[in-house]
Amino acid sequence: MSTLPVSLFWRRKDTTGTEHALVDARRGLYARGHQLAVDPVAFTCRYELQTDPTWATARLDVAAEGAGWVRSVRLELAAGRWRVTATEQGNLDATLTAAGHARAGLPGMEDPDLLYGAFDVDLSGSPLTNTLPIRRLDLARAEVGVAHRLSVAWVLLPSLEVVQADQIYTALGDGRVRYASETFSADLIVDDDGFVRDYPGLAERV
């Protein structure tokens, strides 16, 4: 396994948890990372992410594991079409319902063609994946106030269900980018390389 030159570490604000990513951003992005969180149930997530030189996602491998269950999903984008494969062992639903939560969706996605036109992935709870559209759209140098509406492949944790989601990114200048969905918005503070330093309500880099 090759070494990677940059280490990024975030502390979660919305729950007890962390994310640690090792990244190489010299020719697009290659990253290996871990998330740990206690909500809705305690789990560990491991991921590997590869983009092309334009920062469009080429592949995302994710595995999530907790007491009595493990799931994995792979997303691959080639020639404009997504392929999504998933595996499951154990019973995440039993763990969730025992903790008083609703059952989870199945890992993966029945119809990957719903992701047609998406170039970015968004891993739930991961500020690293916000960097993908920020760099792909060059928002550090984009015109301030212009909104960019995107379709993304949203990977939910801990279920690893994959859904299509609409998101809006707007450059605000001075190292700030507004992220918005249909029901939420936050002004992200990013460094000179487009990596999130502070995501209000979610995570901050330490």
Side-chain angles (χ1 to χ4, degrees):
M1 183 180 294
S2 61
T3 61
L4 298 175
V6 177
S7 174
L8 304 171
F9 196 97
W10 290 270
R11 177 183 63 84
R12 291 283 290 268
K13 296 180 180 181
D14 59 334
T15 186
T16 300
T18 60
E19 178 173 3
H20 179 221
L22 297 169
V23 307
D24 185 340
R26 291 173 290 188
R27 293 175 294 277
L29 180 70
Y30 174 72
R32 295 192 299 264
H34 290 78
Q35 281 195 56
L36 294 92
V38 300
D39 289 321
V41 293
F43 68 90
T44 300
C45 165
R46 301 177 301 280
Y47 63 83
E48 184 177 19
L49 172 64
Q50 177 79 59
T51 76
D52 68 15
T54 72
W55 285 74
T57 299
R59 177 178 57 86
L60 174 68
D61 285 296
V62 188
E65 184 173 11
W69 62 272
V70 60
R71 291 181 168 198
S72 68
V73 68
R74 168 175 282 194
L75 290 83
E76 298 172 285
L77 177 62
R81 300 194 68 178
W82 287 90
R83 187 169 80 171
V84 181
T85 55
T87 66
E88 178 181 19
Q89 298 179 49
N91 193 335
L92 172 58
D93 281 345
T95 303
L96 287 167
T97 55
H101 299 289
R103 294 175 180 270
L106 295 174
M109 185 180 207
E110 287 190 7
D111 185 6
D113 285 343
L114 293 173
L115 299 175
Y116 183 79
F119 296 98
D120 308 294
V121 293
D122 183 1
L123 181 60
S124 180
S126 171
L128 176 71
T129 50
N130 292 102
T131 297
L132 302 178
I134 290 172
R135 286 292 294 265
R136 187 174 62 80
L137 299 170
D138 198 18
L139 293 183
R141 287 175 285 276
E143 183 179 351
V144 171
V146 176
H148 301 263
R149 181 177 291 274
L150 315 174
S151 175
V152 306
W154 186 22
V155 183
L156 307 181
L157 283 173
S159 69
L160 298 188
E161 181 182 4
V162 180
V163 298
Q164 185 277 336
D166 294 319
Q167 299 179 349
I168 300 171
Y169 281 78
T170 307
L172 301 178
D174 299 322
R176 295 175 301 125
V177 175
R178 177 164 297 153
Y179 159 79
S181 64
E182 292 182 359
T183 59
F184 174 82
S185 72
D187 290 352
L188 314 180
I189 299 175
V190 302
D191 64 19
D192 292 341
D193 294 315
F195 293 106
V196 174
R197 292 171 49 206
D198 185 69
Y199 187 137
L202 180 74
E204 64 179 350
R205 225 160 76 205
V206 294

